[in-house]
């Protein structure tokens, strides 16, 4: 199935601004479906003369009238007549007789979707007439607001020009308050009343200046003034950002929308959601995240201290072998410290391995056993890996690079070590290739007594659950190539 943008481009919404407008409508139209108690479908005309359904949403407040998936369906002939009329006449069109062809009778209203004076699509509202009953005050209010929003869609003043977060935005069922042109509440749903009661309101919402009521409920004066200004902006016809109102008892998310339908009564719609538990969880997660990052920071500092002590000890050593062993330990400890430094600055338990290697690779030149003749290059990207995989991988890679630079060019001739990384989904293949003298004829990585290769084997097989192979380069030519194959390295460990 193609994306919504691709489907819109195939129809009449050809310009980027028209596509964006239709996308914003689809992102925010659950509100309209719930207020209308109706299924919504978005249609665009094709060059063939048919009409193509590019998006669909069902109401959460009423039974659906369109149980089948209509996205991708085409309408022609009699079935397309209301779509054609709404598009050509640029006004809402309501079918006279109900449609009895489906599982339940339904009535369709078609609304032109206008943007910058141009009708870019049409919106069909299908109401399930089998669920019709004597409407309550709440339902009449919902339908009245839905009618205003539909006229705003036809006029091009809804949806707002900023893309809303559909997941976090309050919904009709969370709590709804309708305001008149002066900002006073003329209706508040039971859930809205409950939300304000949890905020500590003891009086009635209906008849009150909602901006003042909401401001008084906030424990923070600045935040209270901001949310009051937000409600006032909606009454004035603007689309403010959703805002939190918080006190010691509860936290409420407030979203205000202007109701400025042509020929209709001006006012605003305020949706509220009790997000007390959500915000408490968010704060708990932020505290946990900050604690974990502080731990990584302290581990990094401790490792750098250990590396500094080892470096001082190495300078005092007169035995070359002992000094080399300590310098290798410095390099290994420093590599781990860089990983923890990256984690200390990240909000996720993942590591951008390329950034770590960019810091680690220059360290190899600081080790006296690596001659200046060895040039290290990196090709390809490792990408992000979970911290559990990043630390052993960085250590294994640096060991292989160090071994190649140290042993492949012992005759002093210039040479190059190239680090290749290839990602295939979660799988990772790493190659360390040099153009040096090659491996001895009787060499086997599994039987090697070198500490560096023993560390690599342990890390690859035990920590990364991968495989290690060494031999002549697959592409031919002189030198040696070490290949690490790490299946599933990019998947989080459980």
């Amino acid at each position: 199935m193609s994306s919504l943008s691709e489907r819109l481009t195939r129809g009449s919404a050809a310009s980027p601004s028209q596509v964006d407008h239709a996308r914003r409508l689809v992102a925010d139209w659950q509100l309209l479906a719930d207020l209308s108690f109706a299924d919504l479908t978005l249609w665009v005309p094709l060059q063939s003369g048919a009409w193509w359904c590019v998006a669909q949403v069902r109401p959460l407040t009423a039974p659906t009238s369109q149980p089948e998936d209509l996205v991708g369906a085409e309408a022609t002939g009699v079935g397309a007549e209301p779509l054609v009329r709404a598009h050509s006449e640029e006004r809402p069109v309501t079918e006279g007789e109900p449609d009895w062809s489906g599982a339940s009778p339904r009535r369709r209203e078609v609304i032109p979707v206008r943007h910058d004076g141009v009708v870019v699509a049409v919106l069909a509202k299908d109401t399930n007439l089998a669920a019709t009953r004597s409407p309550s005050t709440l339902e009449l209010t919902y339908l009245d607001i839905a009618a205003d929003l539909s006229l705003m869609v036809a006029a091009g003043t809804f949806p707002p020009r900023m893309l809303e977060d559909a997941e976090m935005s309050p919904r009709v069922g969370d709590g709804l308050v309708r305001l008149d042109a002066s900002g006073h509440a003329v209706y508040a749903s039971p859930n809205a009343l409950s939300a304000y009661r949890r905020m500590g309101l003891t009086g009635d919402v209906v008849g009150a200046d909602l901006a003042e009521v909401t401001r008084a409920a906030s424990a923070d004066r600045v935040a209270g003034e901001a949310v009051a200004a937000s409600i006032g902006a909606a009454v004035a016809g603007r689309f403010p950002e959703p805002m939190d109102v918080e006190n010691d008892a509860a936290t409420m998310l407030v979203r205000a929308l202007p109701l400025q339908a042509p020929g209709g009564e001006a006012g605003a719609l305020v949706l509220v959601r009790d997000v007390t538990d959500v915000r408490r969880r968010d704060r708990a997660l932020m505290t946990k995240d900050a604690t974990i990052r502080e731990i990584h920071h302290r581990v990094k500092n401790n490792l750098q201290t250990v590396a500094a002590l080892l470096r001082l000890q190495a300078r005092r050593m007169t035995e070359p072998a002992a000094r080399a062993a300590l310098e290798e330990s410095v390099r290994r400890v420093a590599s781990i410290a860089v990983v923890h430094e990256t984690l200390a600055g990240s909000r996720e338990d993942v590591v951008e391995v390329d950034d770590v290697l960019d810091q680690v690779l220059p360290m190899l030149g600081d080790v006296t056993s690596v001659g200046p003749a060895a040039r290290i290059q990196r090709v390809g990207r490792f990408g992000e890996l979970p911290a559990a995989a990043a630390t052993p991988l960085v250590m294994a890679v640096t060991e292989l690079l160090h071994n190649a630079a140290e042993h492949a060019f012992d005759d002093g001739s210039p040479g190059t070590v190239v680090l290749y990384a290839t990602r295939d989904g979660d799988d990772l293949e790493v190659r360390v290739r040099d153009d040096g003298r090659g491996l001895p004829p009787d060499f086997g990585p599994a039987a090697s007594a070198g500490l560096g290769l023993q560390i690599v084997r342990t890390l690859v097989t035990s920590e990364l659950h991968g495989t290690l192979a060494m031999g002549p380069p697959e592409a031919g030519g002189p030198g040696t190539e070490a290949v690490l194959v790490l299946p599933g390295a990019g998947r989080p460990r459980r």
Side-chain angles (χ1 to χ4, degrees), residues 177-180 182-187 201 203-214 231:
V177 183
R178 174 152 193 174
L179 308 183
D180 60 18
S182 66
H184 289 76
V186 295
Y187 177 80
L201 177 67
D204 197 356
V205 173
V206 176
D209 184 330
L210 193 70
E212 289 301 313
V213 168
T214 309
I231 295 174

Side-chain angles (χ1 to χ4, degrees), residues 115-131:
H115 175 63
D116 289 341
V118 178
V119 177
V120 300
V122 295
L123 181 69
K125 291 198 304 183
D126 293 305
T127 304
N128 187 340
L129 298 180

Side-chain angles (χ1 to χ4, degrees), residues 37 133-143 187:
F37 305 100
R133 61 184 185 276
S134 179
S136 63
T137 303
L138 179 144
E139 291 169 330
L140 289 173
T141 303
Y142 281 13
L143 292 171
Y187 177 80

Side-chain angles (χ1 to χ4, degrees), residues 103-309:
S104 58
R106 60 177 179 262
R107 175 170 281 117
R108 167 168 289 186
E109 180 185 5
V110 183
I111 303 157
V113 179
R114 190 186 304 273
H115 175 63
D116 289 341
V118 178
V119 177
V120 300
V122 295
L123 181 69
K125 291 198 304 183
D126 293 305
T127 304
N128 187 340
L129 298 180
T132 302
R133 61 184 185 276
S134 179
S136 63
T137 303
L138 179 144
E139 291 169 330
L140 289 173
T141 303
Y142 281 13
L143 292 171
D144 188 41
I145 296 173
D148 285 348
L149 290 177
S150 297
L151 291 175
M152 292 172 65
V153 170
T157 56
F158 185 85
R161 292 189 176 270
M162 75 283 286
L163 193 63
E164 296 292 341
D165 184 352
E167 290 298 322
M168 278 306 299
S169 181
R171 296 178 178 175
V172 171
D174 294 325
L176 175 150
V177 183
R178 174 152 193 174
L179 308 183
D180 60 18
S182 66
H184 289 76
V186 295
Y187 177 80
S189 71
N191 285 345
L193 291 173
S194 297
Y196 274 95
R197 291 286 184 269
R198 282 191 287 272
M199 294 295 298
L201 177 67
T202 56
D204 197 356
V205 173
V206 176
D209 184 330
L210 193 70
E212 289 301 313
V213 168
T214 309
R215 180 188 59 78
S218 175
D220 186 296
R221 183 181 63 83
V222 175
E225 294 291 347
V227 76
S230 171
I231 295 174
V235 175
R238 298 189 297 274
F239 286 90
E241 294 279 352
M243 301 188 70
D244 277 358
V245 181
E246 185 174 6
N247 58 29
D248 294 338
T251 304
M252 184 172 67
L253 178 63
V254 179
R255 182 189 180 191
L257 298 170
L259 294 177
Q260 305 284 341
E265 182 182 351
L269 167 65
V270 176
L271 300 172
V272 296
R273 170 181 287 185
D274 183 1
V275 292
T276 306
D277 292 339
V278 174
R279 295 296 182 259
R280 286 173 179 168
R281 286 196 297 269
D282 288 346
R283 284 192 288 269
L285 288 174
M286 290 178 63
T287 302
K288 179 181 178 181
D289 178 72
T291 302
I292 292 174
R293 286 188 283 121
E294 177 62 22
I295 290 172
H296 283 302
H297 181 73
R298 295 188 182 187
V299 170
K300 181 263 297 184
N301 289 343
N302 291 339
L303 289 173
Q304 287 179 336
T305 301
V306 171
L309 293 174

Side-chain angles (χ1 to χ4, degrees), residues 369-376 401-418 433-438 478-480:
S369 60
V370 179
R375 298 184 302 275
I376 299 177
L401 290 171
H402 183 270
N403 284 349
E406 182 179 12
H407 300 296
F409 313 107
D410 55 358
D411 57 357
S413 59
T416 301
V417 181
V418 184
R433 182 185 305 167
D434 65 70
D435 56 2
R437 61 188 179 89
T480 305

